[in-house]
Amino acid sequence: MTPQEYVEEVLALVERIPEGKVMSYGAIADALADRSGRNSARQIGTIMARHGGGVPWHRVVTSAGRTPPGHEQEARQRLLADGVPLRGDHVDMTRAAWTP
């Protein structure tokens, strides 16, 4: 899989995350690891930062449920509108995590 194909696969997976659910950067990397030969949560973060504006980027959080740095307020508002369960300023990953 070429780097551009990987970017497209990441964005396509993020598009599939349903309302009320989230995936962590690591879960996205894990979900695509077999097909892509890559498995880096950090790489997913880079892809989301550079190319994620057209997908529901707010549904991608850290494994601890933290929202993207610098976009916390907007992400929180969007997550609440989606019906994602929160605990304080973090996503409740036990209830909100989605697996494709």
Side-chain angles (χ1 to χ4, degrees), residues 41-52:
R42 188 168 292 190
Q43 189 172 23
I44 301 302
T46 299
I47 290 169
M48 291 305 297
R50 292 183 182 162
H51 307 284

Side-chain angles (χ1 to χ4, degrees), residues 30-43:
D30 290 345
L32 298 174
D34 288 342
R35 288 189 316 218
S36 69
R38 297 169 175 88
N39 192 356
S40 168
R42 188 168 292 190
Q43 189 172 23

Side-chain angles (χ1 to χ4, degrees), residues 30-83:
D30 290 345
L32 298 174
D34 288 342
R35 288 189 316 218
S36 69
R38 297 169 175 88
N39 192 356
S40 168
R42 188 168 292 190
Q43 189 172 23
I44 301 302
T46 299
I47 290 169
M48 291 305 297
R50 292 183 182 162
H51 307 284
V55 297
W57 56 268
H58 58 284
R59 296 181 188 154
V60 181
V61 298
T62 68
S63 60
R66 287 179 299 209
T67 54
H71 303 279
E72 296 90 351
Q73 291 302 322
E74 183 178 357
R76 180 180 170 76
Q77 290 172 351
R78 289 176 179 234
L79 291 169
L80 286 170
D82 278 357

